[in-house]
Amino acid sequence: MIVALTLWLYIFILLYIYGAAVLWGMRSIFKIGDGVFIGVILPLFTGLTVVTVLAMTAHLFMLLGDIFILVLSAGALVIALRWRRLIALSLPSYHPLTWVVLAFLFVIVLENVTHVPANLDTGLYHAQTIR
């Protein structure tokens, strides 16, 4: 479970950095004001789109593995060091009970993703489709 938490944290950081960079670029191109609050979810989904497209394109030329992850991580590190204000994270102000419910749901999902797959076809095509 600790490994799954560490991987999730790494993936969320990676997605957030790439998503925030793309949204900043789009704001610059289309001249949208900086005063607009975009939250956390939009950069995460934008980063998911960017990383997916990068992975699909890279998969045409190479196997996805350690080298791809290193290149992706190096790119995120360059973005984070070059444009530090991009990674300014502001969490919404929810009611404390909402945070408790979200934490509870997070623990439930985390516990479920660490189970061994029950379906025998998972290794054949389910896992590849999900990735």
Side-chain angles (χ1 to χ4, degrees):
M1 201 175 293
I2 299 295
V3 173
L5 261 178
T6 306
L7 286 173
W8 277 13
L9 181 64
Y10 169 74
I11 290 169
F12 282 139
I13 290 171
L14 203 67
L15 295 180
Y16 185 82
I17 290 172
Y18 276 103
V22 168
L23 289 173
W24 177 80
M26 290 175 67
R27 282 178 151 186
S28 299
I29 291 171
F30 296 116
K31 307 289 190 240
I32 300 172
D34 283 334
V36 178
F37 178 71
I38 58 172
V40 176
I41 300 299
L42 186 59
L44 284 176
F45 279 118
T46 305
L48 180 63
T49 304
V50 170
V51 170
T52 301
V53 169
L54 289 174
M56 290 170 52
T57 305
H59 187 60
L60 294 174
F61 305 105
M62 62 188 271
L63 292 175
L64 298 182
D66 298 341
I67 295 173
F68 179 72
I69 293 297
L70 286 174
V71 170
L72 207 60
S73 299
L77 187 63
V78 167
I79 291 170
L81 292 176
R82 175 71 173 93
W83 295 283
R84 289 194 179 137
R85 68 181 185 97
L86 285 180
I87 57 174
L89 183 66
S90 59
L91 295 175
S93 58
Y94 292 138
H95 189 274
L97 184 61
T98 305
W99 285 111
V100 169
V101 170
L102 288 174
F104 181 70
L105 292 174
F106 178 78
V107 169
I108 289 173
V109 171
L110 180 64
E111 196 273 328
N112 283 323
V113 300
T114 56
H115 290 178
V116 175
N119 193 337
L120 297 176
D121 290 342
T122 299
L124 297 174
Y125 61 90
H126 292 158
Q128 290 80 3
T129 303
I130 292 168
R131 289 177 190 209

